[in-house]
Every structure is written in C-alpha cells, then in structure tokens.
Amino acid sequence: MSALLWNWPFRQGQSVRVVGKRWPDGTFFAISVLDEDERLIVSYPHVTAGSTSHWLRVFWISLAISVV
C-alpha cells in the first residue's frame, strides 16, 4: 500500500480503516486513514475540497491578490 497524506501520526501495528483506490497493477493508494479508537483521521490534502470548491477558492485568492 502507498499513501500520500498530510500527516502520519499512526504507529506500526495500529488498527486503522483505510479509504483509497486499487490501481490496475494491483497496488492500493490510500486517500484517508481513520483510527476509530483515537478518533483521528488523516487525509490527502485536497480530498475534501472537491473540484468546484477548489476552483472557487482559487478564484477568491486570485481576486484578493489582484486587488492588493
């Protein structure tokens, strides 16, 4: 399994739930990892934004920079 996550506070042997995608070559790419006992979730940085939210954020940041 491979993962690109914002933070990795988990330890070897810890029981977690993983959400991701299996690639055609058989490898599994993790997008989010959840530890239910510690109520801790770690996700790929932009997974929660969504496409529309991302472009709206880009628009507002660009507008703010151009006004300044």
Side-chain angles (χ1 to χ4, degrees):
M1 178 176 73
S2 62
L4 177 59
L5 303 170
W6 188 69
N7 194 356
W8 192 260
F10 307 114
R11 295 174 299 285
Q12 185 72 17
Q14 195 169 359
S15 179
V16 295
R17 288 183 181 221
V18 180
V19 174
K21 178 179 182 174
R22 186 164 307 279
W23 296 109
D25 67 358
T27 58
F28 185 83
F29 182 76
I31 297 172
S32 291
V33 178
L34 167 68
D35 181 346
E36 292 178 332
D37 296 335
E38 295 186 25
R39 300 180 69 183
L40 178 65
I41 188 167
V42 176
S43 296
Y44 182 77
H46 301 289
V47 78
T48 57
S51 179
T52 303
S53 177
H54 167 75
W55 289 114
L56 283 171
R57 189 174 307 148
V58 168
F59 170 76
W60 287 115
I61 291 172
S62 299
L63 183 64
I65 291 171
S66 65
V67 168
V68 173

